[in-house]
Amino acid sequence: MRVLAALVLGLLGLWPSLATAQAVKLGAVVPLTGRYGPGGAQVRTGYEIAVEQINASGGMTLAGKKTPLELVVLDDESDATKTVARLESLASQGVAGYLGGFGSDLHAAAASVAEKNKIPYLGIAFALHRIHQQGFKYLFSPFWKSPDIGKHTQGLLALIPAGERPKTVAIFQEKTDWGQEMAAAWTEAGKAAGYQVVVHGEYAPGAKDFSDLILKAKSANADAVFGIPTPPDGMTIIKQMKELGYTPKLTVLIRASDSPPWTKNLGKDGDYTVLAAGWHHAMRAPGVKELNEAHEKKFGRPADPIVGPAYACVQILAAAISKAGSTDHAKVRDAVAATDMTTVIGPVKFRPDGTGIVPAAFAQWQNGKQELVWPKEFATAPLAYPAPPFAKR
């Protein structure tokens, strides 16, 4: 009897690990600290809420049975070397698929690991197109890319009466692959949008002094400033613009202004900045209401802009595993490639290079809130233009 009791107790003790082993494991490497920390927090939140809601409904369907998802999140500290190491760690844990972090440079490092390990990788919060031109078969991104942003910038500017649109633009180019891509995309977009690039200046990520770029833009009377700074760099740019008395009519700072710390740190100075996260909580799609309610419960506000695309990654990966009928990486990869579904960000398909065919959106900080300004049919507020001088905000 003692032996039997010991055996039963042993089995009971193993029960949690047995239950965990039956779950489908998804591995995510996300920058929760470092320069991308604010954006990474949004990514993690989107993943967590998606997994929570799928599991609350009984889990995903796998081989005819409801199966829970298990999410393993590791912090790469905004360091690409650690991104690689953490992904290798997850591969050894038997994940069915990878979920990416935030920032084009981190995704660029991650994509090679996913390809080497032949594990499907879904990533958002990176617009770098070049990474999709390397022949990777396991990389998928339901997120707009540099050429898309450049093209849709014309739609943003079309919100402004023709005679009042920016005629001159200063591009503050980060010395990175994505910085180069976006500078080229915005320069090309100007041909159709009717603006001329009058200042094209470069800076290294992490720079502390942007006065030379700002003074050149001010001297050239640039109506608009376009850039893709990291959050710390973007906040420094705005502070130094104010100090140097330069207020462009339109400021588009992608990535830097995606997250709540933007307005917490800059206050009214952060208003009027346009961001291009590609999604907003006011966009209409199945599940957005439930996502917003869950986010409101956790944080006291509707979902932040990167939360939606992150949630969609989990939806897509779970649907692909279900369609594949197994966690076999090659079968899951093929199922992801064949995606044709509606998610919280709207309809999603993938091109052969892994780029997503997805809806697009621009938002703008107004009175400390991110208002959706384009597309017009979903807008929560009109584009505030031109921006008033910092001293009059």
Side-chain angles (χ1 to χ4, degrees):
M1 288 294 291
R2 289 180 180 176
V3 174
L4 180 59
L7 180 60
V8 170
L9 287 172
L11 289 172
L12 287 173
L14 285 172
W15 174 249
S17 60
L18 290 172
T20 301
Q22 293 169 354
V24 173
K25 186 178 291 188
L26 308 181
V29 175
V30 182
L32 302 178
T33 55
R35 67 193 189 283
Y36 294 142
Q42 289 191 49
V43 173
R44 178 179 64 177
T45 296
Y47 293 159
E48 289 178 344
I49 294 177
V51 169
E52 287 169 7
Q53 294 189 339
I54 290 173
N55 285 345
S57 67
M60 55 162 288
T61 302
L62 179 61
K65 296 181 179 180
K66 284 288 189 178
T67 307
L69 293 172
E70 179 188 353
L71 177 66
V72 181
V73 180
L74 301 179
D75 178 16
D76 61 18
E77 303 168 41
S78 301
D79 181 334
T81 302
K82 293 178 180 178
T83 304
V84 171
R86 305 291 188 268
L87 285 169
E88 293 291 10
S89 172
L90 289 173
S92 67
Q93 296 181 43
V95 296
Y98 285 139
L99 296 168
F102 184 100
S104 291
D105 53 332
L106 303 186
H107 286 290
S112 296
V113 178
E115 196 69 16
K116 177 180 73 71
N117 293 336
K118 291 184 167 50
I119 296 176
Y121 180 97
L122 278 93
I124 46 89
F126 79 104
L128 183 65
H129 187 242
R130 186 176 302 176
I131 187 176
H132 289 276
Q133 299 174 306
Q134 299 179 39
F136 292 145
K137 299 299 183 185
Y138 284 79
L139 171 67
F140 299 93
S141 180
F143 197 79
W144 59 348
K145 301 299 166 184
S146 301
D148 304 315
I149 296 173
K151 180 181 69 175
H152 290 306
T153 298
Q154 299 171 38
L156 172 71
L157 296 181
L159 297 172
I160 305 168
E164 300 173 25
R165 292 172 193 162
K167 302 299 181 188
T168 53
V169 170
I171 295 177
F172 291 1
Q173 181 185 325
E174 183 184 75
K175 289 182 181 179
T176 57
D177 288 345
W178 187 33
Q180 184 178 23
E181 268 191 9
M182 280 309 310
W186 275 324
T187 301
E188 179 65 25
K191 297 175 183 177
Y195 62 77
Q196 179 183 0
V197 177
V198 293
V199 174
H200 183 177
E202 289 186 310
Y203 69 90
K208 303 301 180 187
D209 185 1
F210 296 88
S211 59
D212 183 55
L213 283 178
I214 294 168
L215 289 173
K216 283 180 179 177
K218 182 179 180 181
S219 176
N221 292 315
D223 295 326
V225 167
F226 294 166
I228 59 152
T230 63
D233 290 353
M235 291 177 197
T236 302
I237 287 172
I238 293 295
K239 290 175 182 177
Q240 292 181 2
M241 277 184 175
K242 181 180 181 180
E243 291 168 1
L244 295 169
Y246 172 53
T247 307
K249 295 178 181 178
L250 179 69
T251 302
V252 180
L253 294 182
I254 299 175
R255 182 172 59 178
S257 56
D258 286 351
S259 305
W262 180 260
T263 192
K264 289 179 182 176
N265 288 313
L266 293 174
K268 293 181 179 180
D269 293 341
D271 280 344
Y272 300 94
T273 306
V274 172
L275 55 141
W279 183 83
H280 186 275
H281 61 77
M283 295 177 77
R284 292 186 288 275
V288 173
K289 179 177 179 289
E290 291 77 12
L291 169 56
N292 283 332
E293 288 172 350
H295 199 275
E296 188 90 42
K297 189 174 181 179
K298 286 176 179 282
F299 302 103
R301 61 181 182 274
D304 295 324
I306 300 298
V307 172
Y311 189 109
C313 282
V314 176
Q315 288 182 294
I316 293 164
L317 188 52
I321 294 169
S322 182
K323 183 178 180 181
S326 80
T327 55
D328 177 82
H329 292 149
K331 291 180 179 178
V332 174
R333 179 262 164 218
D334 290 346
V336 173
T339 294
D340 184 357
M341 65 182 290
T342 299
T343 69
V344 293
I345 64 170
V348 176
K349 292 183 181 180
F350 291 109
R351 302 181 183 93
D353 63 2
T355 56
I357 302 172
V358 296
F362 287 100
Q364 183 184 41
W365 283 100
Q366 299 181 14
N367 298 314
K369 293 183 178 180
Q370 293 174 345
E371 300 286 0
L372 181 63
V373 295
W374 186 90
K376 202 169 182 178
E377 62 266 29
F378 296 131
T380 59
L383 177 70
Y385 178 92
F390 287 106
K392 295 184 178 181
R393 296 185 184 180

